[in-house]
Amino acid sequence: MTAQLNRERIDESPEKAALGSLARRRDGDPLGALRRAAESSSSGSGTLLGCLVDPTASVPAATPELRAWAIWGLIVDEIGKLGSVVEPREHFVLLAAFRLPPVPDGSASWAANLGDRFGQLAEVRGLFGERKPLSNTPMNKAWAGALGMLGAAVTCKLNHLEGEDWLPYVDIGRSAMTGTPPGEGGAEGFRAPSEGAQPVFVERMVVTVVMHRRTALRRLTERDVVARKDGLDGYDVYAEAGWTGNLVELPVKALWNCRLAATPGEQSVDPVLVRLRFRRKLRRDESYSFVSEAVDGSLDEERRWISVKVDHHGVAKGGLTIRVNFDEECLPEACWWYAEQLEVERLRRPPGGDPRLLDVGDGFVQHTFEECCHPREEYGIAFRWPKGENKATSRQRGFIPFPERAGRH
């Protein structure tokens, strides 16, 4: 056993060890530790975290504070990216380890001790199986794998970032830690967008979904956007149905003030990426409105929620509205809105009297999100179907209905 532990220590990269050390801190001040490491390589923090902060020396006006923001922003951004490729349990242990939102329902904040934070994860039903884990072993296993992937991703970026390449991460780090507005291209009060976010801020977005039985037949999306760079000529959308690992292509139509510029199998290298080309190139801070539609012709996937993923610079307060027109012959037994939650959390019906519950009534449901919709988060309406009434569908999947994800420019 001792020999095995020694081999694991030898194989562990300095970056992975430093990230683990940062996560295990009890003081809740990772930024302070990174700043002290940037100030002095001979300090305790410098010895542990030097491999992370040393590459930030090329940041323009490289004060210790800016260097700390830069490496923290890189960590936050890479955790966000891993969220789209790893299992939910692995992503959430990273959020818990580095005290990033969202905090599980029922907890006001993350606990100080890493083990206690993993204990908070045990309360999230469905994240680690049907039953609540009796120990932190499942969380520790997920943490070991997730930390390795994060260490590899951060190490790769550290080997390539230099000079002004660090500036977007300064904004991300500052926004993630303090909630202050990101600098370049950000909107006041919003978290910083990711490196690949589309350069638009959304003033208004109305999503109208027409259901057929338990499936989503049509999704109409109206957008009023503000360009965050000069020369912006379009907006990228992904239109997908199915479930994680089995996504199928959906046709997208450009309905107003835009044209379809790339379709799957033609100009786009991504099989489901669609480019909605504007009628003209926009100047920075110029507004533009356009409408598109996605249609599901298969009609064999049960939907449990309608979701919007914010892949740009955010949506203004009160700017996002989601409407669902249910089939009058197939109404859900309950409906509620959610914001910034895990898949296993959004499927949990709120208790009676909860303000998130929506009146299904005669089948028309609508919710406007009054607060800011932040970059890298997800907002939507979830619903529960009556049991034993699934005659119209041959499969019960539908975990990713018509999401919109970031496209690269």
Side-chain angles (χ1 to χ4, degrees):
M1 178 64 72
T2 301
Q4 180 181 352
L5 292 175
N6 288 335
R7 285 196 301 272
E8 290 176 352
R9 293 192 183 99
I10 293 172
D11 294 339
E12 187 173 62
S13 70
E15 292 80 9
K16 178 182 174 182
L19 289 168
S21 171
L22 197 63
R24 288 188 291 271
R25 298 185 64 87
R26 296 177 57 90
D27 57 12
D29 185 24
L31 194 72
L34 293 169
R35 184 182 65 251
R36 290 188 292 274
E39 290 172 345
S40 173
S41 59
S42 61
S43 65
S45 295
T47 301
L48 290 171
L49 306 176
C51 61
L52 297 178
V53 298
D54 288 350
T56 65
S58 62
V59 174
T63 65
E65 183 177 22
L66 281 178
R67 293 175 63 186
W69 287 130
I71 189 60
W72 181 247
L74 175 61
I75 294 169
V76 170
D77 194 54
E78 291 302 322
I79 290 175
K81 291 177 179 177
L82 284 174
S84 64
V85 298
V86 300
E87 293 295 325
R89 63 178 61 183
E90 294 171 326
H91 184 221
F92 216 65
V93 296
L94 288 174
L95 298 179
F98 292 93
R99 297 179 172 90
L100 299 174
V103 179
D105 287 350
S107 299
S109 60
W110 288 114
N113 181 274
L114 181 60
D116 292 340
R117 296 200 291 278
F118 287 168
Q120 289 174 280
L121 295 187
E123 301 297 329
V124 180
R125 287 187 296 172
L127 187 60
F128 291 90
E130 295 299 323
R131 297 182 179 179
K132 176 182 175 180
L134 299 179
S135 70
N136 282 352
T137 299
M139 281 71 82
N140 289 327
K141 289 182 177 179
W143 167 236
L147 179 61
M149 288 184 284
L150 179 63
V154 169
T155 301
C156 181
K157 283 295 181 69
L158 291 177
N159 291 333
H160 294 90
L161 292 172
E162 187 173 355
E164 293 187 355
D165 296 341
W166 281 104
L167 294 181
Y169 295 106
V170 173
D171 280 352
I172 292 173
R174 182 183 290 117
S175 177
M177 182 63 73
T178 69
T180 57
E184 183 65 21
E188 185 174 357
F190 285 77
R191 299 169 197 158
S194 63
E195 180 185 4
Q198 301 200 65
V200 299
F201 177 75
V202 177
E203 294 283 359
R204 173 179 170 272
M205 183 175 183
V206 180
V207 178
T208 303
V209 176
V210 178
M211 303 290 291
H212 175 75
R213 302 296 292 173
R214 296 188 180 190
T215 67
L217 173 61
R218 298 172 53 209
R219 169 168 171 155
L220 184 75
T221 305
E222 308 169 50
R223 301 178 183 87
D224 298 336
V225 304
V226 178
R228 284 294 184 241
K229 73 172 186 178
D230 289 326
L232 182 67
D233 66 351
Y235 186 92
D236 295 338
V237 298
Y238 284 76
E240 302 163 348
W243 58 290
T244 305
N246 185 28
L247 302 178
V248 294
E249 173 190 333
L250 284 175
V252 175
K253 298 179 181 179
L255 295 185
W256 185 74
N257 225 17
C258 59
R259 291 287 183 267
L260 207 61
T263 55
E266 295 180 4
Q267 299 174 22
S268 173
V269 296
D270 192 299
V272 291
L273 177 64
V274 174
R275 180 75 166 173
L276 299 173
R277 189 78 67 187
F278 300 154
R279 298 174 67 185
R280 65 179 185 277
K281 292 184 178 181
L282 305 182
R283 300 184 302 275
R284 183 184 177 89
D285 296 329
E286 183 177 358
S287 300
Y288 195 81
S289 301
F290 59 104
V291 182
S292 63
E293 181 183 38
V295 180
D296 186 352
S298 61
L299 297 180
D300 63 353
E301 296 286 351
E302 181 182 277
R303 307 298 170 200
R304 294 191 185 182
W305 64 65
I306 301 300
S307 183
V308 169
K309 294 184 178 181
V310 181
D311 66 350
H312 37 75
H313 288 225
V315 185
K317 286 187 176 182
L320 174 61
T321 296
I322 299 178
R323 300 167 175 164
V324 184
N325 176 7
F326 290 103
D327 190 328
E328 62 181 9
E329 297 181 357
C330 190
L331 298 179
E333 64 179 21
C335 210
W336 59 92
W337 63 269
Y338 64 85
E340 303 173 19
Q341 286 186 317
L342 288 173
E343 291 183 8
V344 293
E345 291 180 310
R346 72 181 62 147
L347 286 175
R348 188 182 308 156
R349 177 179 176 173
D354 192 291
R356 291 175 294 165
L357 286 170
L358 303 173
D359 183 10
V360 177
D362 56 359
F364 297 96
V365 173
Q366 172 178 307
H367 180 71
T368 296
F369 294 83
E370 299 297 337
E371 299 301 322
C372 302
C373 294
H374 293 282
R376 296 175 283 137
E377 293 291 357
E378 191 166 351
Y379 304 82
I381 292 178
F383 27 90
R384 176 179 294 176
W385 299 109
K387 294 182 179 179
E389 298 181 9
N390 193 29
K391 299 178 182 179
T393 57
S394 59
R395 290 172 287 176
Q396 293 187 22
R397 296 171 181 171
F399 286 105
I400 309 183
F402 301 123
E404 296 183 348
R405 296 182 177 178
R408 297 286 180 175
H409 296 267

